[in-house]
Amino acid sequence: MEKKPFVTLETLQEMLKTYSTPFHLYDERGIRENVKRLKAAFSWNPGFKEYFAVKATPNPFILKILQEFGCGTDCSSLTELMMSDACGFHGKEIMFSSNDTPPEEFQMASSLGAIINLDDITHIQCLEDTIGYIPETISCRYNPGGLFQISNDIMDNPGDAKYGMTTEQIFEAFKILKAKGAKHFGIHAFLASNTVTNEYYPMLAKVLFEVAVRLHEETGAEIDFINLSGGIGIPYRPDQEPNDIMAIGEGVRKVYEEVLIPAGMGKVALYTELGRFMLGPYGCLVTKAIHEKHTHKEYIGVDACAVNLMRPAMYGAYHHITVMGKENEPCDHRYDVVGSLCENNDKFAIDRMLPEIEKGDILVIHDTGAHGFAMGYNYNGKLKSSELLLKEDGSVQLIRRQEMPKDYFATFDFCSIFENYQ
């Protein structure tokens, strides 16, 4: 699959008259078309709802676009709950799925009427102690343990993950919750990350559907929804084929009809909480080449760094790079593309074959629409970039300004710092 930017060099050059690099840019048209495809893929399930994983791209302008299509939000912290509330998401439009949860976050989720998804059996008592009762609608996160594999390929190792309850624990949790007044139950699981296969969701669905039937039969709990969570990935590399969301939806439908309907559970709603699939391909990091270095290797220094995109430094993750205006030139130069942090892993690409890059060239780093800006930090005193939205009509909207030094220093009390020096 050929990787092409969703923005042209001419558009970027026009943007640079107003905005300085680096910045994250999002494609409104792509986002809208993708959410339509997701809804179509699961339209066979009347209760289907996508709870967008706010942690992937926590920007109110993005959330408002998704809200137009009936999406909710999946939150994992106090500030994500606050952002959802400020954007007009109400009650059961918010799913709160956290772990190692501070009591005040349970309190906030409860005050908003959000669906609370418990990560651990001990959180039942914590929730009750915090808000004084158990909500009538409640969800539990399930972790079957072991390895999760498709055919002979190991997809992930749930048994190593800190999330979710064991099989024994979730059955016990449902009994306790039911005794404490819960009437409507949900199940949630996340067994593999960034899968690029149409088989993952149907296989996950089968695991959850079979557990749901057992839970209903053995505890008497009324299961209203099953949350397939995230895990549907994107093709970061050009040689990867993208997932077919229509095929995925059809695969889940078949398992639904095989497992849930014969058990009399044909009204169970399906939820997803996709982040990467929803936004990943529809964002890019735009940066400029500012230095070149010729030592033991050939280096291109850009004005972005791991503060702007942490995944390559943190995971060794691949992100495709396009040198704008040189798409048709031969990739006959081997570069490390690096940022300016005082860390040797601050590299967007290592030994990457690219066209010859000159100072001033604009580079587009692909697939940063999810877990890109969101994972930023301020190491070395670096400031986070702006976020821009490329609108459907071709105009550009600033949806988050870049940080300034005053933002970095805002949390210091300089008066007390300098008291001893007066």
Side-chain angles (χ1 to χ4, degrees), residues 148-378:
F148 186 78
Q149 60 186 69
I150 297 174
S151 301
N152 294 321
D153 295 328
I154 295 174
M155 304 301 294
D156 221 320
N157 185 1
D160 235 13
K162 67 175 182 174
Y163 310 108
M165 306 180 195
T166 67
T167 302
E168 295 76 14
Q169 287 172 340
I170 198 170
F171 276 80
E172 182 64 21
F174 268 49
K175 293 174 185 176
I176 294 170
L177 291 164
K178 194 166 183 286
K180 290 180 178 290
K183 292 183 171 59
H184 306 284
F185 290 82
I187 310 171
H188 170 288
F190 179 87
L191 302 186
S193 178
N194 193 38
T195 62
V196 190
T197 167
N198 296 333
E199 296 179 62
Y200 169 63
Y201 244 29
M203 288 193 68
L204 169 66
K206 190 172 190 296
V207 170
L208 288 180
F209 295 170
E210 290 176 347
V211 170
V213 170
R214 285 184 54 203
L215 282 165
H216 175 63
E217 292 175 349
E218 296 180 28
T219 71
E222 289 298 324
I223 297 175
D224 284 12
F225 63 87
I226 295 174
N227 189 336
L228 300 175
S229 68
I232 298 179
I234 62 172
Y236 284 101
R237 295 179 178 272
D239 58 356
Q240 292 178 304
E241 286 296 321
N243 284 312
D244 182 344
I245 195 62
M246 297 305 293
I248 290 171
E250 178 62 15
V252 173
R253 183 190 66 78
K254 288 179 179 177
V255 180
Y256 190 99
E257 293 179 351
E258 290 169 4
V259 179
L260 291 182
I261 289 179
M265 298 174 65
K267 293 185 179 180
V268 173
L270 295 185
Y271 297 160
T272 56
E273 53 175 54
L274 300 167
R276 196 188 318 264
F277 176 80
M278 298 299 292
L279 263 295
Y282 311 108
C284 64
L285 175 60
V286 180
T287 184
K288 186 180 292 185
I290 58 173
H291 287 289
E292 56 185 85
K293 184 175 183 177
H294 315 284
T295 55
H296 303 291
K297 302 184 75 173
E298 293 295 303
Y299 295 96
I300 292 295
V302 296
D303 57 7
C305 63
V307 162
N308 308 108
L309 180 62
M310 191 179 188
R311 296 184 72 254
M314 188 174 186
Y315 304 121
Y318 179 95
H319 281 264
H320 198 65
I321 296 175
T322 296
V323 183
M324 298 301 288
K326 298 182 177 180
E327 293 89 339
N328 298 320
E329 294 186 16
C331 295
D332 54 4
H333 284 63
R334 187 185 302 273
Y335 295 115
D336 281 15
V337 180
V338 304
S340 60
L341 288 189
C342 299
E343 294 291 338
N344 197 44
N345 66 350
D346 182 21
K347 298 180 178 181
F348 295 113
I350 298 174
D351 293 329
R352 185 76 60 86
M353 298 304 296
L354 293 165
E356 183 177 10
I357 299 175
E358 300 168 283
K359 286 189 287 186
D361 280 348
I362 301 170
L363 279 62
V364 163
I365 302 177
H366 293 248
D367 301 318
T368 70
H371 310 290
F373 179 95
M375 295 177 72
Y377 54 110
N378 288 116

Side-chain angles (χ1 to χ4, degrees), residues 87-155:
C87 288
F89 293 91
H90 302 297
K92 292 181 172 56
E93 294 176 334
I94 304 171
M95 183 80 63
F96 180 60
S97 302
S98 68
N99 66 94
D100 189 23
T101 308
E104 58 269 23
E105 297 190 359
F106 278 139
Q107 185 67 58
M108 172 64 85
S110 174
S111 70
L112 296 178
I115 299 172
I116 295 175
N117 184 31
L118 296 174
D119 180 70
D120 187 67
I121 191 168
T122 63
H123 291 182
I124 297 173
Q125 192 61 53
C126 178
L127 177 63
E128 188 174 31
D129 290 344
T130 300
I131 67 174
Y133 64 97
I134 294 297
E136 289 192 358
T137 298
I138 197 80
S139 178
C140 291
R141 187 167 185 167
Y142 176 53
N143 183 336
L147 298 175
F148 186 78
Q149 60 186 69
I150 297 174
S151 301
N152 294 321
D153 295 328
I154 295 174
M155 304 301 294

Side-chain angles (χ1 to χ4, degrees), residues 42-55:
F42 287 91
S43 60
W44 55 267
N45 182 261
F48 174 76
K49 192 173 187 70
E50 155 66 6
Y51 286 86
F52 175 69
V54 177
K55 60 181 173 287

Side-chain angles (χ1 to χ4, degrees), residues 33-88:
E33 290 176 352
N34 195 47
V35 70
K36 289 176 186 176
R37 284 192 292 268
L38 175 68
K39 288 174 66 70
F42 287 91
S43 60
W44 55 267
N45 182 261
F48 174 76
K49 192 173 187 70
E50 155 66 6
Y51 286 86
F52 175 69
V54 177
K55 60 181 173 287
T57 318
N59 189 295
F61 290 87
I62 300 296
L63 297 184
K64 294 297 285 186
I65 292 173
L66 298 176
Q67 189 179 41
E68 292 180 31
F69 294 90
C71 296
T73 58
D74 173 74
C75 301
S76 56
S77 69
L78 187 73
T79 48
E80 289 179 1
L81 286 166
M82 294 170 68
M83 184 180 292
S84 296
D85 181 45
C87 288

